[in-house]
Amino acid sequence: MEQNDVFERLKSAVIKAQNELDLPDHIADSVMEIASRPTFFASKAKIVGDLAEMVLDYHTYAEACCERLGASASDIQYVVGYIKSSVKGS
């Protein structure tokens, strides 16, 4: 898969998650910051692909019961923070 495809897949995942999975706007906005800057985040393309999968696996109540149901908002925010800090720290 070409690198830019990963970032396009992330954009598509965010749009789908907002429309179908009730992904909160503030989380979508922070993920879109990464998706819209493929050159800047190019070194993190692998984890960006993983983030796209997490976004598609988002579940509003992921942490509400003893059995995890998909990715939570805090899971996604953690990965977004990791990606942003690891690029800035390079």
Side-chain angles (χ1 to χ4, degrees):
M1 179 178 292
E2 192 170 312
Q3 179 177 305
N4 283 342
D5 291 347
V6 171
F7 291 89
E8 288 301 318
R9 187 165 46 106
L10 182 57
K11 285 180 187 177
S12 297
V14 170
I15 292 166
K16 181 175 182 171
Q18 280 190 291
N19 292 334
E20 298 175 15
L21 305 173
D22 296 325
L23 183 71
D25 290 342
H26 71 280
I27 296 172
D29 292 344
S30 65
V31 174
M32 280 299 212
E33 286 179 44
I34 294 170
S36 64
R37 299 181 66 197
T39 303
F40 186 77
F41 293 106
S43 66
K44 299 297 172 191
K46 165 73 172 97
I47 197 165
V48 168
D50 295 341
L51 179 58
E53 295 303 316
M54 286 181 77
V55 168
L56 289 173
D57 197 32
Y58 171 74
H59 194 283
T60 304
Y61 302 106
E63 297 176 330
C65 66
C66 57
E67 202 172 304
R68 286 228 359 118
L69 303 170
S72 69
S74 60
D75 293 336
I76 294 170
Q77 288 176 313
Y78 178 82
V79 173
V80 166
Y82 170 79
I83 292 169
K84 289 180 179 179
S85 67
S86 65
V87 170
K88 290 178 185 175
S90 300

